Amino acid sequence: MTYSEYKKGFMTGIPIGLGYLPVSFTFGLMAVQGGIPLWLAVFISLSNLTSAGQFAGTTLILANAGYFEIVLTTFVINLRYMLMSLSLSQKLEPMVTTGKRLVIGFGITDEIFALASLRQGKISAAYMYGLMTTPIFGWTLGTFLGGYTSSLLPDALQNAMGIALYTMFIAIIIPPAKKSKEIRIVIILSIAITCILKYTITAISSGFQVIIATLISASIMAIIAPMNHSDENEKKEVER
């Protein structure tokens, strides 16, 4: 039964792992091109699996930011994973131990959380392990391939690859922005606040500008357009 559950999770996670390859490839290119050793870039991906948090943290590292700034930035960006883990813990089988829950919490991403939340009934630890396997492997493999490829490229092309980071962020925010007015407002607010801070309070570093813009824009939208998931969840439970 355990193997069967693991296999189900593994098969479900394959599309996520494949989708992570191009994004982590870009991360590997950026990290190695910025001066981080290939083995360290791979270790970052293997031990984090946080996508936006990795990009932001690595960018600050390459910019010689302070430890506190790096920690605070990644904490704010990755805070949602704590909430996702707490929410998903309610769907886990009662016999799942605290140690297993911590392992599962390590592997939670937006996509893994979405698929696990949609699964009917209680979720076993074996299923979650399987669901996490391919995404972790795909994210780490993509980082290795991107970093290794970067080391083979001519210097001129390596320098030009820096634009890939910005195109990746644009590719991330455009699709959801098309579907949600709230997301568009958050993006516009974040850009506006960042520009105001950049050109009026020059003493604030770029890392803290991102943190302040994130907190202010997210707080404003949380007040004027709060998302209430409780009613939706209750409706799903009734339908089941």
Side-chain angles (χ1 to χ4, degrees):
M1 181 63 180
T2 300
Y3 174 75
S4 175
E5 285 290 299
Y6 177 86
K7 185 177 179 181
K8 289 179 183 178
F10 183 87
M11 298 303 294
T12 304
I14 288 177
I16 301 177
L18 294 176
Y20 281 175
L21 279 171
V23 182
S24 58
F25 187 93
T26 304
F27 172 77
L29 280 174
M30 180 200 75
V32 174
Q33 192 271 332
I36 295 178
L38 176 59
W39 70 267
L40 184 55
V42 172
F43 179 76
I44 291 174
S45 286
L46 183 60
S47 60
N48 284 269
L49 196 70
T50 57
S51 186
Q54 278 186 226
F55 277 97
T58 303
T59 301
L60 291 175
I61 291 173
L62 298 179
N64 295 318
Y67 290 124
F68 179 73
E69 187 175 334
I70 296 173
V71 170
L72 186 58
T73 300
T74 53
F75 175 77
V76 171
I77 293 176
N78 296 327
L79 185 61
R80 68 188 189 279
Y81 295 125
M82 297 173 61
L83 303 177
M84 290 179 187
S85 298
L86 290 173
S87 175
L88 195 59
S89 67
Q90 308 303 310
K91 286 183 64 70
L92 294 176
E93 294 178 344
M95 68 280 297
V96 178
T97 64
T98 301
K100 292 179 179 179
R101 290 173 184 266
L102 292 175
V103 174
I104 293 171
F106 162 77
I108 294 297
T109 66
D110 300 285
E111 295 77 14
I112 291 175
F113 172 77
L115 290 182
S117 298
L118 293 174
R119 182 172 171 80
Q120 299 292 326
K122 292 293 184 179
I123 304 175
S124 66
Y127 177 85
M128 288 302 303
Y129 291 158
L131 184 60
M132 292 160 47
T133 299
T134 310
I136 292 175
F137 178 77
W139 185 257
T140 306
L141 176 62
T143 300
F144 171 78
L145 294 176
Y148 183 74
T149 301
S150 176
S151 64
L152 300 177
L153 296 176
D155 292 340
L157 190 55
Q158 287 188 37
N159 294 331
M161 287 304 296
I163 195 66
L165 176 62
Y166 303 100
T167 58
M168 188 217 67
F169 279 125
I170 293 175
I172 288 175
I173 64 175
I174 292 300
K178 289 181 177 179
K179 300 177 182 178
S180 172
K181 179 181 69 175
E182 288 77 13
I183 293 179
R184 291 196 296 271
I185 295 175
V186 168
I187 293 173
I188 294 173
L189 281 174
S190 299
I191 294 173
I193 295 170
T194 301
C195 291
I196 291 173
L197 293 174
K198 180 177 178 63
Y199 295 107
T200 60
I201 310 178
T202 57
I204 301 178
S205 64
S206 59
F208 277 108
Q209 289 173 6
V210 172
I211 294 172
I212 295 172
T214 301
L215 292 175
I216 294 177
S217 59
S219 298
I220 292 174
M221 287 309 300
I223 294 173
I224 65 176
M227 295 182 64
N228 188 358
H229 296 287
S230 58
D231 294 339
E232 182 179 350
N233 292 333
E234 291 176 1
K235 181 179 178 181
K236 289 180 180 178
E237 291 296 332
V238 171
E239 291 175 350
R240 290 175 186 173

